[in-house]
Amino acid sequence: AMANSCAFFVERKQRFCRMTPSKGSLYCGEHLNQAEEGMSQRKRIPCPFDSHHTVYEDMLEKHKKRCNARPKPKPSYYKEGINSGLPIHVQPDRERVPLSCVSPTQLTELIQKTKVVCSAVLSYVEMSVLSHDVLDAEVERAVDCPNARKHLEQQASLIGHMNRLGLLKGGTTFVEFGAGRGQLSHWVEKALGHQTSSQYVLVDRQNCRRKFDSQHKHEGPKFNRLLIDIEHLSLGELDCVETKRCANVVGMTKHLCGSATDLALRCLVTTLEESVASTCPESSLAKKIRSESTSCTTDSSLKGLVFALCCHHKCKWSQYVARDTWSSWGLTEEDFHLMTLMSSWATCGTRVGSTTNESKPSTSEEDSGTLYRLSPGEREEIGNLCKRLIDHGRVEYLRRCGLNSQLVHYVPKSITLENTALLASRS
């Protein structure tokens, strides 16, 4: 072992531990219990907050008060399940049954029903690829890096659509859901020319490294990062929103997965109206969510949104914003569940260089298409219909709430197969 390092040999790494040993011992705190088992009178146990580290049993209470993994106090904008949609759907979602367990007759009938409903309610989704000057130079520099370039082209088109809808204005609170590194907010800020009259709220339930908002710490508009699940976020309770310093609110996402899109839509539509947490009892919150089944009026501060959609196979009926619309089309919860599974055919149903259905050693949703004698092209077509039907329900939801809404293909499929964006504005 190295000087001033733990004497415990880590078999998995084939080296000695490099941690500093405890005072008066040859071993660090983590390995003291293992190396001196039976010799020490003190027992180490896993931390109740994070089992990845241990603590002396007789010091547990002291450790719990200072452990970095201890539960933190909930902020004022945390409201349990406020965007979940559960008050009108109290039963949990049914267990997801794979398509391979669905009878050929049932699946054939559902595919036919899907085509009939789509022909009756869906409208043409136009290809509308836009860009913005602020990203032109960056896109050109990424010519030798296809992966970076495709993300920049998507962001450029999304920002171009925000500009076309009149959403790129000063005095606006831009809320990016599923922000990740915050790259979309970063480029929106640059597109606005570093206006200090705007502010940015970046929402994500996990932290990440190399965040773009770190470039805006010392100058320019304020970037507020929230580490919270969208399901529990009440925008009306945020200090930066509640003070009305930036009266206009615009929502934006780049590929927000599955039901997170529904949670974000409900968050924008229902929680901006007022500070619902401290003033509204549970019955009032339930009434807000029940209003989804009828026409509703959003708070006038919500000026619009631009959402790049994806991962429809992760959508849940209990959180879907357009359950009432779905039912009016003659479709059921079971139909929704099966369509979410079939939606994956749009991105995995076609294989490059293959025109036949070769058997694969799995029982996934894509193989069920082979089981029911569907060609790759047919699977892709059906998957796209399922995606558009789910998205059209979201369009109808926003229209009932007083917003002009539509779907567009914002980039070609050569850039991403998930190339549909949900747009909404008041103008």
Side-chain angles (χ1 to χ4, degrees), residues 297-318:
T297 303
T298 58
D299 186 84
S300 59
S301 61
L302 177 60
K303 298 305 178 184
L305 57 90
V306 174
F307 281 16
L309 308 168
C310 77
C311 301
H312 297 75
H313 62 282
K314 291 187 176 182
C315 291
K316 297 180 180 179
W317 174 257
S318 63

Side-chain angles (χ1 to χ4, degrees), residues 108-374:
T108 301
E109 291 177 352
L110 178 59
I111 291 173
Q112 184 59 35
K113 184 193 290 188
T114 301
K115 292 180 177 179
V116 171
V117 174
C118 287
S119 63
V121 303
L122 294 189
S123 56
Y124 175 72
V125 178
E126 66 173 331
M127 177 68 71
S128 180
V129 182
L130 303 181
S131 63
H132 196 281
D133 296 343
V134 72
L135 275 152
D136 288 346
E138 196 73 19
V139 171
E140 288 302 317
R141 281 196 292 269
V143 66
D144 295 325
C145 188
N147 190 53
R149 184 185 178 98
K150 73 175 185 179
H151 289 294
L152 290 169
E153 288 178 342
Q154 291 175 65
Q155 289 156 1
S157 185
L158 292 173
I159 294 174
H161 280 288
M162 294 175 69
N163 190 43
R164 179 178 66 84
L165 295 173
L167 302 179
L168 287 183
K169 295 180 178 179
T172 299
T173 298
F174 293 94
V175 184
E176 182 180 359
F177 296 96
R181 296 168 61 199
Q183 196 168 5
L184 182 57
S185 293
H186 168 77
W187 289 113
V188 168
E189 191 272 342
K190 285 186 174 294
L192 283 172
H194 310 290
Q195 291 185 11
T196 57
S197 60
S198 296
Q199 61 183 353
Y200 300 83
V201 178
L202 286 70
V203 182
D204 208 310
R205 62 182 179 183
Q206 293 181 336
N207 212 337
C208 63
R209 297 179 178 179
R210 300 168 59 197
K211 294 187 282 286
F212 276 77
D213 39 307
S214 63
Q215 301 180 28
H216 306 275
K217 284 183 177 179
H218 306 296
E219 59 181 13
K222 185 176 181 181
F223 278 66
N224 306 277
R225 183 170 281 271
L226 307 181
L227 202 61
I228 186 174
D229 194 310
I230 304 170
E231 181 179 357
H232 312 302
L233 173 61
S234 175
L235 281 178
E237 293 293 321
L238 278 174
D239 291 339
C240 59
V241 175
E242 193 174 21
T243 57
K244 300 293 183 182
R245 186 175 74 86
C246 298
N248 302 328
V249 176
V250 171
M252 56 185 182
T253 73
K254 178 178 173 289
H255 290 167
L256 191 62
C257 288
S259 285
T261 296
D262 299 297
L263 298 176
L265 291 175
R266 194 177 282 113
C267 181
L268 287 169
V269 168
T270 65
T271 69
L272 272 176
E273 298 179 20
E274 55 184 334
S275 301
V276 297
S278 59
T279 60
C280 297
E282 177 63 25
S283 58
S284 297
L285 292 177
K287 187 183 298 183
K288 283 177 176 289
I289 300 177
R290 280 198 299 273
S291 66
E292 293 171 11
S293 61
T294 59
S295 60
C296 58
T297 303
T298 58
D299 186 84
S300 59
S301 61
L302 177 60
K303 298 305 178 184
L305 57 90
V306 174
F307 281 16
L309 308 168
C310 77
C311 301
H312 297 75
H313 62 282
K314 291 187 176 182
C315 291
K316 297 180 180 179
W317 174 257
S318 63
Q319 296 176 335
Y320 187 48
V321 294
R323 292 190 295 265
D324 186 71
T325 299
W326 195 266
S327 300
S328 70
W329 294 337
L331 299 172
T332 65
E333 177 181 352
E334 184 179 8
D335 294 337
F336 180 88
H337 163 68
L338 295 177
M339 283 190 197
T340 59
L341 298 180
M342 290 193 297
S343 69
S344 65
W345 292 350
T347 52
C348 70
T350 301
R351 289 292 175 264
V352 176
S354 173
T355 57
T356 60
N357 289 303
E358 300 176 1
S359 59
K360 304 178 183 67
S362 69
T363 57
S364 65
E365 277 66 50
E366 63 177 287
D367 293 318
S368 62
T370 302
L371 178 65
Y372 301 126
R373 302 183 183 280
L374 296 171

Side-chain angles (χ1 to χ4, degrees), residues 375-396:
S375 69
E378 289 173 325
R379 292 203 302 272
E380 185 176 1
E381 178 188 1
I382 295 166
N384 279 318
L385 288 178
C386 293
K387 281 177 174 286
R388 298 295 75 79
L389 202 57
I390 293 170
D391 292 337
H392 189 71
R394 293 163 171 166
V395 169
E396 292 296 326

